[in-house]
Amino acid sequence: MIDFIPYGKQTIDEDDINSVIEVLKSPFLTTGPKIEEFEKKLANYCNVNYCIAVTNGTAALHLASMVLLNKNDKVLTTPNSFLATSNSILYVKAKPIFVDIYEDGNINLDLCEEELKKDSTIKAIYVVHFSGKAVNQEKLKYLKDRYNIKILEDCAHSLGANFGNIKAGSSTNSDCSILSFHPVKHITTGEGGAITTNSKELYEKLLELRAHGMQRRVDIAPWYYEMNSLGFNYRITDIACALGISQLKKIDNFIEKRKNIAKNYDKAFLNSIVKPLYNFDKDSSYHLYVVRVDFSKLNITKIKLFNKMKEKNIGLQLHYIPINKQPFYKNLGYGKENTPIMDRYYEECFSLPMYPTLTIEEQEYVIKNLLELLND
Ligand SMILES: *Cc1c(COP(=O)(O)O)cnc(C)c1O
């Protein structure tokens, strides 16, 4: 039988392995030259002024929230994301407000505007470019300017994505963006993340918060350091950054492959009961390939489909369970928001295998089994 096909996985080659071994033999395992090199290369790739690499995407969100938000600030955000996006708002004792999505899985920016009109105390919007498809950047810019709010772009799905000539992670119309280098994302460092921004002021605060809120002051004495804020140890290692530098060289190729896989799926599902989340988008970086199926009309349930596909060695995944419906959030009073699009989306959606090394044969095997099970 065919080897297990997960919904996502890393692509590691000999160059990646050698770049890590090189660091292991060098004087610095952490906080050496590879961190800055990785940050510079990421900033260059994202077309942004500053980049701070950290231990993971969640740490990036935490630090970004520390510099953007104050206690009790209201923040509009999406229920269709990984938990970390809105958790980071709670970390700093601010208040997420969940807004419904568009049919393409992204936060509905028109509804965000309605909320902003109703409540002038809303301070920020946290958007996620879901699956790699960028939210409308013109609308984002309009909201930022018109309502004078902070904007964070969660680009964990969208490294390498574009909106017209605006690159994801460039923070062109936002205060900052965050990235994740978890193995299922576009490039990996094992665990890793980064924040990008064009603001020197934010950059300097973030640098300090990454390392205990501490600043070296050799101008005062050779040993002297000063603590001005309560930071964390969110430093990433040189080992991880060497892997990141090596991975980043290959990102355009990775994304090209993801796009080809998306095109093949699109073609296979034409005129079938499987509906791709959106028509082919050349600007999407296709972190995920999400489809929708109206199970109410079928003999098979979604649970059964997942189990049957697993028996065939195919891993499906679901992105996402609405965050506001999680028990922890319900205990905080969430879960009763009016989000009909998200609710129906959750009933219908699931994600198919999508990663650069997925072969044509494997993809055809996934498609064949999926259509057979759904048509039974
Ligand atoms: C992966 C992910 C994160 C968190 O990143 P980690 O590196 O796993 O901490 C945050 N937001 C979104 C949308 C993600 O997909």
Side-chain angles (χ1 to χ4, degrees):
M1 183 142 104
I2 200 156
D3 282 341
F4 184 71
I5 304 169
Y7 89 91
K9 72 171 170 191
Q10 69 274 20
T11 305
I12 299 286
D13 66 13
E14 281 303 313
D15 288 339
D16 295 323
I17 293 165
N18 289 330
S19 67
V20 170
I21 291 171
E22 207 178 293
V23 173
L24 289 172
K25 293 175 177 170
S26 82
F28 292 102
L29 297 189
T30 191
T31 319
K34 293 294 175 193
I35 297 180
E36 227 180 282
E37 187 185 339
F38 185 41
E39 290 173 338
K40 287 224 166 86
K41 287 183 170 158
L42 270 175
N44 188 42
Y45 182 76
C46 291
N47 198 18
V48 65
N49 288 348
Y50 304 103
C51 174
I52 301 110
V54 292
T55 41
N56 56 59
T58 306
L61 279 163
H62 185 189
L63 294 186
S65 294
M66 286 176 76
V67 299
L68 293 181
L69 305 177
N70 291 306
K71 196 177 162 183
N72 293 327
D73 279 358
K74 293 178 192 163
V75 184
L76 303 177
T77 191
T78 175
N80 191 27
S81 183
F82 183 59
L83 306 166
T85 311
S86 61
N87 283 355
S88 76
I89 300 168
L90 294 177
Y91 290 163
V92 299
K93 303 198 168 5
K95 293 191 161 38
I97 297 172
F98 293 97
V99 178
D100 207 359
I101 58 171
Y102 292 123
E103 295 289 349
D104 69 1
N106 275 328
I107 188 169
N108 185 324
L109 292 176
D110 297 294
L111 287 179
C112 286
E113 182 167 17
E114 282 179 26
E115 293 294 325
L116 288 163
K117 278 183 181 154
K118 273 192 288 191
D119 184 349
S120 63
T121 68
I122 293 167
K123 291 287 167 44
I125 306 180
Y126 278 27
V127 303
V128 177
H129 306 300
F130 180 77
S131 81
K133 186 181 193 290
V135 307
N136 187 320
Q137 289 282 344
E138 283 149 30
K139 183 88 190 174
L140 210 58
K141 177 171 169 40
Y142 161 78
L143 293 178
K144 183 157 178 52
D145 295 344
R146 168 73 179 73
Y147 295 94
N148 190 28
I149 46 166
K150 302 264 172 63
I151 289 179
L152 176 139
E153 294 175 89
D154 182 334
C155 298
H157 293 189
S158 59
L159 184 60
N162 298 288
F163 184 86
N165 53 14
I166 295 172
K167 245 197 141 78
S170 65
S171 301
T172 305
N173 297 313
S174 64
D175 294 277
C176 58
S177 306
I178 73 96
L179 299 167
S180 164
F181 312 121
H182 180 279
V184 296
K185 308 288 162 72
H186 291 93
I187 63 166
T188 189
T189 59
E191 294 278 359
I195 309 153
T196 69
T197 181
N198 292 301
S199 157
K200 186 157 193 270
E201 189 194 336
L202 288 188
Y203 173 67
E204 284 170 353
K205 279 191 198 163
L206 288 164
L207 274 183
E208 200 177 278
L209 290 170
R210 175 175 67 179
H212 310 281
M214 193 174 103
Q215 237 179 21
R216 295 222 166 263
R217 294 291 305 271
V218 285
D219 54 321
I220 294 176
W223 67 83
Y224 197 70
Y225 54 84
E226 221 169 57
M227 180 182 146
N228 296 307
S229 54
L230 186 61
F232 295 86
N233 178 0
Y234 282 165
R235 293 185 311 252
I236 190 167
T237 65
D238 268 45
I239 304 167
C241 288
L243 181 54
I245 293 163
S246 180
Q247 287 262 299
L248 191 58
K249 286 181 194 157
K250 291 170 282 204
I251 187 167
D252 289 336
N253 180 262
F254 289 165
I255 290 171
E256 215 34 58
K257 293 203 162 127
R258 286 174 179 274
K259 284 183 187 169
N260 284 332
I261 292 165
K263 277 184 196 159
N264 290 340
Y265 277 138
D266 284 355
K267 210 163 95 194
F269 300 138
L270 213 65
N271 304 319
S272 81
I273 50 174
V274 180
K275 306 289 174 214
L277 184 59
Y278 44 83
N279 292 332
F280 184 75
D281 176 2
K282 68 173 178 35
D283 285 340
S284 171
S285 56
Y286 283 98
H287 163 56
L288 302 174
Y289 190 85
V290 177
V291 295
R292 297 177 63 151
V293 168
D294 184 355
F295 285 93
S296 69
K297 296 188 183 129
L298 301 180
N299 292 322
I300 193 168
T301 62
K302 204 193 278 191
I303 296 172
K304 248 206 175 122
L305 176 70
F306 269 56
N307 289 336
K308 292 263 183 208
M309 288 290 270
K310 195 157 179 211
E311 282 170 21
K312 306 272 183 194
N313 261 353
I314 301 164
L316 300 179
Q317 194 42 281
L318 194 149
H319 302 89
Y320 288 98
I321 303 167
I323 303 177
N324 52 323
K325 303 270 170 39
Q326 291 291 345
F328 181 83
Y329 279 85
K330 281 189 171 169
N331 282 338
L332 294 177
Y334 291 96
K336 294 184 207 79
E337 293 84 352
N338 183 30
T339 52
I341 309 290
M342 179 71 207
D343 297 346
R344 193 162 54 83
Y345 167 83
Y346 174 53
E347 293 298 316
E348 297 182 355
C349 78
F350 56 95
S351 304
L352 298 178
M354 166 58 90
Y355 49 88
T357 56
L358 184 72
T359 65
I360 290 277
E361 293 73 30
E362 287 169 327
Q363 200 182 359
E364 281 170 355
Y365 177 79
V366 171
I367 293 164
K368 177 175 153 282
N369 279 289
L370 177 67
L371 290 176
E372 270 177 21
L373 285 166
L374 290 174
N375 288 321
D376 244 3

